[in-house]
Amino acid sequence: MKNPTKSAFILIDMEQGFIDPASAHCIKGAAATVPTCEKAIQMSRQKGIPIFFVKRVYRENGSDVECTRYQSWIAGGRSMAPGSYGAQEPESLRPQPGDYTIIKPRWSAFFQTELDLILRRLGIRTVILAGTTTPNCIRTTCYDANALDYNVVILSDCTSSQTEEIQQANLADMERMGALVINTCEFEHYGEKTVLDLAASIRSDIEKR
């Protein structure tokens, strides 16, 4: 299917380890976003937008756990090992044939992953971010995408934080940085002209000089 918007939908860390209230790493607002994330994925498929499931899993010996998360990972029972319940997505958010799955070693979906390589091969110009947690993995991915000259869209009701105050402050910061922040209702009308390709516009301006 053609992708006229030249966009990619990137769902970050929507795994049971971050969603299930029984998990030591649960994000309080994450479970409530599962239905909206599912809806956004369905709309993306209808628009021909490729889906990327970006996940965080940890080796059982903890050798790849973030330094700042290591002690809570130990205290939480060494969760989210490959194949474990914590590393699984809810059934409605599992990849389908043709989707992409990427395992990230740190917060950003771009850091030491093949994401940028694949996006460029697919001709992607805009990344649409959803998932958890907004101040960490969504925000770092947003800023890395901006640094790599991608346009960024954040689906506000498909992202989550530990508190509403944290959520709104981080969404506001990303919007000030240049991200387009919309909700799933607005995403229904997402099309080729929704996002201005800033890098292409700048290149055009430079070539005219």
Side-chain angles (χ1 to χ4, degrees):
M1 179 181 292
K2 293 183 179 180
N3 179 13
T5 67
K6 296 182 180 179
S7 302
F9 183 92
I10 301 176
L11 184 71
I12 301 176
D13 286 350
M14 289 299 284
E15 309 158 47
Q16 297 293 358
F18 297 115
I19 297 173
D20 190 332
S23 169
H25 302 296
C26 178
I27 306 303
K28 291 180 181 179
T33 67
V34 171
T36 49
C37 287
E38 180 182 1
K39 181 180 178 181
I41 288 173
Q42 292 172 350
M43 287 191 286
S44 295
R45 296 192 195 285
Q46 293 168 0
K47 297 175 186 292
I49 297 172
I51 313 297
F52 287 74
F53 292 85
V54 179
K55 301 179 59 177
R56 186 73 179 96
V57 296
Y58 297 123
R59 288 179 171 82
E60 293 183 0
N61 67 358
S63 58
D64 57 351
V65 178
E66 295 90 342
C67 292
T68 53
R69 182 176 278 172
Y70 184 79
Q71 291 303 325
S72 63
W73 177 79
I74 292 289
R78 301 172 181 262
S79 61
M80 299 195 306
S84 68
Y85 170 76
Q88 295 178 9
E89 308 91 347
E91 187 173 353
S92 63
L93 298 181
R94 291 177 185 171
Q96 296 183 8
D99 294 339
Y100 297 85
T101 297
I102 289 178
I103 306 300
K104 62 184 175 68
R106 287 295 183 264
W107 312 105
S108 172
F110 286 99
F111 181 76
Q112 295 189 4
T113 73
E114 67 274 36
L115 178 60
D116 182 49
L117 183 152
I118 297 174
L119 293 178
R120 294 188 187 280
R121 179 62 59 86
L122 296 178
I124 299 301
R125 293 299 310 129
T126 300
V127 294
I128 302 162
L129 304 184
T132 199
T133 164
T134 303
N136 293 338
C137 301
I138 301 298
R139 182 166 177 149
T140 55
T141 301
C142 170
Y143 279 79
D144 279 354
N146 177 266
L148 291 165
D149 276 354
Y150 291 102
N151 311 301
V152 182
V153 175
I154 310 290
L155 296 186
S156 59
D157 54 350
C158 292
T159 60
S160 54
S161 304
Q162 291 288 18
T163 70
E164 186 62 20
E165 182 180 14
I166 292 172
Q167 175 75 358
Q168 294 306 318
N170 279 273
L171 289 175
D173 275 349
M174 289 186 285
E175 188 170 38
R176 280 190 290 269
M177 183 275 296
L180 174 64
V181 179
I182 61 176
N183 58 36
T184 48
C185 290
E186 294 168 311
F187 187 54
E188 290 185 27
H189 306 289
Y190 184 84
E192 296 178 61
K193 297 182 180 180
T194 301
V195 180
L196 172 65
D197 189 343
L198 294 174
S201 177
I202 292 169
R203 283 195 300 270
S204 177
D205 183 62
I206 292 173
E207 289 170 357
K208 293 177 182 177
R209 295 181 182 181

